[in-house]
């Protein structure tokens, strides 16, 4: 069953990736540090469960789609 769950997650992720190029908003200034902080908050249970360690330095403001950038960090 764990293999089936991994496969289901892979298919779901591939579908999400296929939509990235077609649903993006025009680039706008985005604070990548803030986006990463939001993603890490959302992933806190998985981070704790796996004992993951995530480090980042200062991240810049970039021209991007904030949602797509968050998906990239995830």
């Amino acid at each position: 069953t764990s293999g089936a769950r991994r496969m289901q997650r892979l298919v779901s992720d591939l579908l999400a990736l296929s939509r990235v190029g077609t649903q993006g908003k025009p680039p706008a200034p985005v604070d990548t540090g803030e986006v990463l902080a939001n993603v890490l908050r959302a992933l806190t249970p998985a981070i704790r469960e796996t004992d993951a360690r995530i480090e980042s330095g200062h991240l810049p403001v970039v021209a991007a789609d904030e949602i797509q950038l968050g998906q990239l960090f995830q």
Side-chain angles (χ1 to χ4, degrees):
T1 60
S2 66
R5 276 186 254 131
R6 283 194 304 271
M7 184 60 72
Q8 183 178 10
R9 183 179 300 158
L10 177 61
V11 169
S12 176
D13 290 346
L14 286 171
L15 286 171
L17 180 63
S18 73
R19 289 186 222 107
V20 166
T22 59
Q23 294 181 346
K25 295 182 205 171
V30 176
D31 181 344
T32 55
E34 186 176 314
V35 174
L36 180 59
N38 292 337
V39 167
L40 293 178
R41 273 193 295 279
L43 295 176
T44 295
I47 292 169
R48 286 186 182 147
E49 181 181 307
T50 59
D51 246 355
R53 183 173 148 191
I54 299 163
E55 296 181 18
S56 71
H58 172 74
L59 297 174
V61 172
V62 298
D65 177 333
E66 185 172 351
I67 293 172
Q68 288 183 351
L69 188 58
Q71 289 173 333
L72 174 70
F73 284 149
Q74 286 178 1

